[in-house]
Amino acid sequence: MAERSLLLLKPDVIHRSLVGTIIARIEARNFKIVALKMFDLTRETLDEHYAHIVAKHFYPEIVSYMTMGPVVGIIVEGKDVVAGMRQLCGATNPAAAEMGTLRADYSNNIGFNIIHGSDTPENAEIEILRFFDADEVCSYERKIIA
Ligand code: CDP
Ligand code: MG
């Protein structure tokens, strides 16, 4: 199976009407979108997704950020898509991210860093199972060179 990554467009992207802009940047990179939906995160799912930061002092702010509205979940597929999407997202802190990355181009605040991308192919598969049912993922051939 092709490598996949799980992306979340965080709630501020919806609030700021940047959904189309961010998706256009992902498409411009020529990653193949195989699933896409808007939904609210439950506290239980968020705690699971962010188990590695749940004990951090800033976690309550993350909870209020990630539950201030719906998120857009996207599964993208492609060669080295996990590293490629991390590169496109940029550093966790938008203020330190390279210009041209999504986080630098659309944010200046670590508290609102607009997008999640899986950090390893293995974690991507775990995150896909966390957020998507199998019948929500499309299988199709692209008529272009990927
Ligand atoms: O999202 P990424 O993989 O780049 O970073 P992470 O270390 O997995 O942290 C998850 C999320 O916690 C980040 O995307 C930020 O939204 C938030 N965070 C924060 O607000 N302040 C920090 N010092 C570290 C992370
Ligand atoms: Mg992470």
Side-chain angles (χ1 to χ4, degrees):
M1 197 206 290
E3 185 172 306
R4 304 193 292 178
S5 181
L6 182 280
L7 313 177
L8 296 175
L9 309 189
K10 298 183 178 182
D12 51 338
V13 172
I14 291 97
H15 290 225
R16 294 170 62 197
S17 301
L18 286 171
V19 172
T21 301
I22 302 301
I23 290 175
R25 293 279 300 269
I26 296 163
E27 289 187 306
R29 189 71 190 267
N30 202 23
F31 290 130
K32 177 181 174 187
I33 294 175
V34 295
L36 192 154
K37 67 176 177 181
M38 185 182 282
F39 59 100
D40 290 304
L41 290 171
T42 63
R43 176 64 193 263
E44 194 185 358
T45 306
L46 189 61
D47 288 354
E48 202 180 289
H49 179 65
Y50 279 147
H52 61 295
I53 56 165
V54 102
K56 302 274 191 189
H57 66 90
F58 55 80
Y59 190 66
E61 286 161 43
I62 300 294
V63 173
S64 77
Y65 173 36
M66 296 299 290
T67 59
M68 69 191 229
V71 297
V72 176
I74 301 172
I75 304 172
V76 281
E77 215 176 80
K79 184 169 162 41
D80 298 324
V81 67
V82 167
M85 273 309 312
R86 297 281 293 188
Q87 183 188 36
L88 182 58
C89 289
T92 304
N93 184 354
E98 297 271 352
M99 293 311 297
T101 63
L102 297 175
R103 283 169 167 169
D105 287 356
Y106 300 104
S107 179
N108 63 5
N109 185 342
I110 194 168
F112 297 91
N113 68 356
I114 76 157
I115 187 166
H116 165 82
S118 306
D119 59 1
T120 65
E122 295 72 27
N123 283 341
E125 293 305 318
I126 293 167
E127 292 174 354
I128 286 167
L129 288 174
R130 179 173 300 136
F131 294 108
F132 282 89
D133 295 329
D135 65 1
E136 293 174 320
V137 185
C138 296
S139 173
Y140 63 99
E141 291 290 322
R142 290 206 294 184
K143 304 298 181 197
I144 53 168
I145 305 299

